[in-house]
Amino acid sequence: MNIFEESILMKKKIYEASEHLVKCMASLYKAAEDNFQNDMYSQENNLNVSHELLPICTYDKEKSVTSIKINNIPPLARKDIKEARLMWVYSISQAIKNMLFNDKNIKKYEKAFVIIKYFVPSNQAIFDNDNRANKYIIDGIRYAQIIAGDDNFEHLSYCVLTVRDIISPHTEVYILNHSDLSCKVPLLG
């Protein structure tokens, strides 16, 4: 086997291991969600490590911005992994629905601008935003029904940013009114 063939074989093994890891993370999220649901109905308010896996969603009334923090980064979009898609879509939509349930005054966005911000470890020399499964995040927002209508261009636009974070790789998502942003950035009007 020559060096080129060895390189292709190694790359294939890395992708297979990555796919397996994503499936394991999906199982871990499911277990964390089940544990969280059980804790919600009990009288005990024990802090559980598994809660750190679940997205946290908040709403800033002054700025009219919904924020979601996910202690993970979406998998590569090369291959749709059903378990990963379900995990991301479900956990994001549930985080938003829980926020909406707790605050009935939050209104749907007629047209939203979504900012997806990845915080990646500094040892990752190359991180391409367009190679990530950004669709999982957008679908989670759509299924939560916080945006009036579908996730087509009439109701949603988005951008993706990346910054380095050695200590805590994660994803942050911000949802804001498109009109608020288009006043500040004329090209978005």
Side-chain angles (χ1 to χ4, degrees), residues 62-179:
E62 287 181 28
K63 297 178 183 176
S64 297
V65 174
T66 300
S67 302
I68 308 164
K69 182 179 180 196
I70 307 124
N71 288 321
N72 199 352
I73 297 170
L76 292 170
R78 248 177 245 273
K79 182 177 177 184
D80 185 32
I81 302 169
K82 180 182 175 185
E83 294 87 351
R85 181 171 29 85
L86 292 174
M87 171 188 74
W88 277 85
V89 171
Y90 176 77
S91 62
I92 289 171
S93 65
Q94 280 305 114
I96 294 170
K97 285 178 181 180
N98 289 341
M99 177 196 66
L100 294 172
F101 179 78
N102 291 324
D103 188 347
K104 307 280 191 233
N105 295 321
I106 299 173
K107 294 183 177 144
K108 289 184 178 186
Y109 296 92
E110 290 300 317
K111 184 168 185 181
F113 189 82
V114 176
I115 301 168
I116 301 170
K117 191 171 184 180
Y118 297 126
F119 293 79
V120 300
S122 64
N123 60 356
Q124 278 189 275
I126 300 172
F127 186 92
D128 292 338
N129 292 336
D130 62 330
N131 290 343
R132 294 287 152 180
N134 301 321
K135 178 175 176 37
Y136 298 169
I137 295 170
I138 299 300
D139 285 350
I141 293 167
R142 179 171 60 99
Y143 291 137
Q145 299 178 344
I146 195 168
I147 298 172
D150 199 358
D151 59 353
N152 63 34
F153 75 94
E154 293 177 343
H155 299 283
L156 184 138
S157 301
Y158 76 97
C159 73
V160 182
L161 309 169
T162 302
V163 295
R164 300 228 183 255
D165 188 336
I166 300 169
I167 300 178
S168 177
H170 64 281
T171 303
E172 292 179 4
V173 180
Y174 303 96
I175 308 168
L176 51 142
N177 285 311
H178 195 280
S179 59

